[in-house]
């Protein structure tokens, strides 16, 4: 017991120190876990042989992760994405597997082992890539969406890979492989069965998971819901995952296969979010523990014995994979920074590679020495990934400079309205104006956006709207209205400030990112300032009020009262706002904001009472 508590303290302490530090340095949590494991294992020697046993337990985190991935993938969603998944994602996996397999066979491996290595290296790091894309705001770009599609295909492909890898061991090793993840023979329904019996049992287990998940889980969840105990949802979620894992083990399949299928079946369940909330903490902790055990188990003697070989294999993998990704990006018409984001972002091996290497060692597909080499290559490629993203940032900056170096379009018309910025905000404004019979001069410095608009028949001009000569060419001297809708809030503020200085009589409608940006635009001279989410949030609040029992008239009155009060508040608080001073450190601002909150409650209560008095009474019966 004392030894267990000591080991738990070591692992948790290393986790708490290394993971936040890695996240702050932009390395990602997965690399933080790996570095923590390396520190307490090969470097400091605080953990030893018990790491192997702990890894078996930590693999439950991988199983839970695949169950949660399945919950996010409704069958209809998978069907709608089939072209991109099978096209871009399928080609990436197939080509990478083939190239790596051919290369490793040249190094002397037999075709079964080479194929296993190719499958392992075909995967990229979902955790690192998605986290980095989210942090950098690139997930919605063309390259970000393409990367997500390939990562999703890879995550799904892990399931058949886990089922397929043991078949390679049948020909690669004289001993029959174990069918379960832990290498145990104690539980098995397949011993002594003929081939057709094994097939029937396997298909029966998969069909049973699908049928039970579809027909029996809903009554179970309703029964648990009646207990009104939150911990019961956690218990039933763990029971589902563990019981399916056990069933898969006894029929000789991967536990991940069964839990993934169960997740997909339950994706449409009304209790899906409860399952996610219950399992997410276990997934994060156990998956982190798994990565730590991988790091702690890496044999650095292999690296120190052949540093040039390991480094060479790592770079050969990333370069080969990068060339394949660049080819696919070109084939699927990704351009500029999106092409490099797709190429450099997915060039590494991934965390599922650790899972497949561990599984392949247990099923005798790989030898111990080769497995250690592959673990080192995967870990080093993941450690290099932040450098590849830095390279992407540099290339994107250079490409942006090249695009901006292109001469701005010759503006051949001047309209009474100028729209600067054609993101989602500017596009809606432009379409509404066109529908109303007005035309605007549209400017944007994003060349793909301009080209896309032209393809759909909209006239727009390429150029930086903050450049004075371009604004004057667009008719700033004669325009009646300027719509400042640039994505870059600082550039948008500069645009408003310059336009106000040049044209004190010009009416400026500006898009604001948040409340502080409202104050900046107000000081810059904007007449009408529209927060991105404010009007949609008002509408959402009105819907909530209507569904809580208020009539349409009452909800509209509340919405109007809140809107007028908020506009008054913004104008007064804008005078108290101090540039560069955080809002919560501006005492005058905080004091007045609190007063406004109390006044709002009083005003809404008064408006509600007045609305109730003024509302028309129901007609008396029989009138």
């Amino acid at each position: 017991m004392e030894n267990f508590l000591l080991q738990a303290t070591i692992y948790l302490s290393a986790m708490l120190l290394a993971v936040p530090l890695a996240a702050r340095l932009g390395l990602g949590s997965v690399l933080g876990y790996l570095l923590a494991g390396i520190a307490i294992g090969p470097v400091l020697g605080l953990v030893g042989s018990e790491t192997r046993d702990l890894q078996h337990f930590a693999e439950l985190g991988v199983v839970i992760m695949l169950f949660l991935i399945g919950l996010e993938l409704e069958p209809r969603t998978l069907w709608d994405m089939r072209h991109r998944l099978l096209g871009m994602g399928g080609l990436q996996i197939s080509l990478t597997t083939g190239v790596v397999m051919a290369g490793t066979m040249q190094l002397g491996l037999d075709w079964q082992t080479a194929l296993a290595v190719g499958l392992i290296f075909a995967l990229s790091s979902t955790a690192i890539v998605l986290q980095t894309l989210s942090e950098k705001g690139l997930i919605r770009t063309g390259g970000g969406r393409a990367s997500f599609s390939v990562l999703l295909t890879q995550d799904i492909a892990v399931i058949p890979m886990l089922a397929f890898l043991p078949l390679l061991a049948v020909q690669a090793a004289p001993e029959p492989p174990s069918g379960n993840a832990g290498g145990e023979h104690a539980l098995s329904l397949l011993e002594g069965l003929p081939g057709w019996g094994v097939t029937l049992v396997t298909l029966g287990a998969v069909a049973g998971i699908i049928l039970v998940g579809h027909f029996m889980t809903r009554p179970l969840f309703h029964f648990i819901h009646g207990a009104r105990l939150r911990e019961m949802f956690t218990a039933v979620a763990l029971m589902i995952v563990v019981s399916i894992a056990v069933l898969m083990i006894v029929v000789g399949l991967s536990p991940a296969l069964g839990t993934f299928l169960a997740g997909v079946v339950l994706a449409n369940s009304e209790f899906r979010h409860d399952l996610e909330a219950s399992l997410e903490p276990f997934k994060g902790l156990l998956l982190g523990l798994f990565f730590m055990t991988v790091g702690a188990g890496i044999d650095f003697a292999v690296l120190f014995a052949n540093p040039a070989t390991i480094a060479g294999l790592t770079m050969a993998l990333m370069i080969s994979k990068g060339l394949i990704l660049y080819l696919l990006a070109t084939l699927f018409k990704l351009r500029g920074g999106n092409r490099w984001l797709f190429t450099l972002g997915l060039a590494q091996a991934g965390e599922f590679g650790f899972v497949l290497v561990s599984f392949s060692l247990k099923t005798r597909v790989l030898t111990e020495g080769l497995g250690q080499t592959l673990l080192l290559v995967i870990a080093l490629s993941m450690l290099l990934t932040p450098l590849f993203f830095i390279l992407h940032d540099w290339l994107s900056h250079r490409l942006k400079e090249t695009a901006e170096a292109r001469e701005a379009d010759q503006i051949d018309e001047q309209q009474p309205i100028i729209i600067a910025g054609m993101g989602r905000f500017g596009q809606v404004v432009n379409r509404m104006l066109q529908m109303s019979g007005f035309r605007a001069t549209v400017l944007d410095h994003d060349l793909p956006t301009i080209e896309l608009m032209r393809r759909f028949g909209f006239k727009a001009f390429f150029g930086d709207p903050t450049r004075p000569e371009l604004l004057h060419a667009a008719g700033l001297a004669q325009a009646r209205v300027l719509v400042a809708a640039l994505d870059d809030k600082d550039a948008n503020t500069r645009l408003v400030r310059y336009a106000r200085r040049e044209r004190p009589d010009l009416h400026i409608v500006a898009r604001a990112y948040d409340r502080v940006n409202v104050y900046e635009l107000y000081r810059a001279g904007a007449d009408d300032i529209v927060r991105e989410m404010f009007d949609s949030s008002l509408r959402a609040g009105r819907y909530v009020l209507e569904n809580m029992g208020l009539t349409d008239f009452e909800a509209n009155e509340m919405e109007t009262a809140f809107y007028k009060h908020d506009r008054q508040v913004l104008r007064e608080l804008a005078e108290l706002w101090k540039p560069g001073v955080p809002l919560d450190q501006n005492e005058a601002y905080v004091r007045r904001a609190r007063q406004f909150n109390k006044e709002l409650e009083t005003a809404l209560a008064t408006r509600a009472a007045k609305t109730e008095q003024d509302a028309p009474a129901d007609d008396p019966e029989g009138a």
Side-chain angles (χ1 to χ4, degrees), residues 550-607:
L550 273 67
T551 64
D552 292 351
F553 175 77
E554 292 169 340
N556 180 66
E557 287 294 298
M558 288 293 185
E559 179 186 1
T560 302
F562 182 85
Y563 173 76
K564 291 180 178 178
H565 180 84
D566 189 77
R567 283 178 64 84
Q568 176 190 351
V569 168
L570 277 179
R571 288 186 182 276
E572 290 199 32
L573 291 179
E575 300 296 337
L576 298 174
W577 173 70
K578 298 178 181 178
V581 178
L583 296 182
D584 59 349
Q585 296 180 19
N586 186 334
E587 293 298 332
Y589 182 95
V590 172
R591 185 165 53 251
R592 189 65 180 119
R594 286 182 174 178
Q595 292 173 358
F596 275 129
N597 287 337
K598 293 179 180 178
E599 292 171 8
L600 175 62
E601 294 176 6
T602 303
L604 292 179
T606 303
R607 177 62 66 94

Side-chain angles (χ1 to χ4, degrees), residues 503-517:
R503 283 283 310 278
D505 60 324
L506 179 67
H507 193 93
I508 302 176
V509 180
R511 161 197 180 182
Y513 177 75
D514 54 18
R515 183 176 288 265
V516 172
N517 193 211

Side-chain angles (χ1 to χ4, degrees), residues 15-63:
M15 186 184 301
L16 292 174
L17 289 173
V19 177
L21 181 60
R24 284 180 176 273
L25 295 175
L27 301 177
S29 60
V30 175
L31 293 181
Y33 288 119
L34 284 172
L35 293 173
I38 291 171
I40 64 176
V43 176
L44 300 177
L46 299 178
V47 295
S49 59
E50 72 283 349
T51 298
R52 292 281 184 176
D53 297 329
L54 187 59
Q55 192 172 48
H56 298 325
F57 173 73
E59 284 172 358
L60 184 59
V62 180
V63 173

Side-chain angles (χ1 to χ4, degrees), residues 304-315:
F304 296 143
N306 301 285
T309 301
I310 301 298
L313 290 174
T314 303
M315 294 310 301

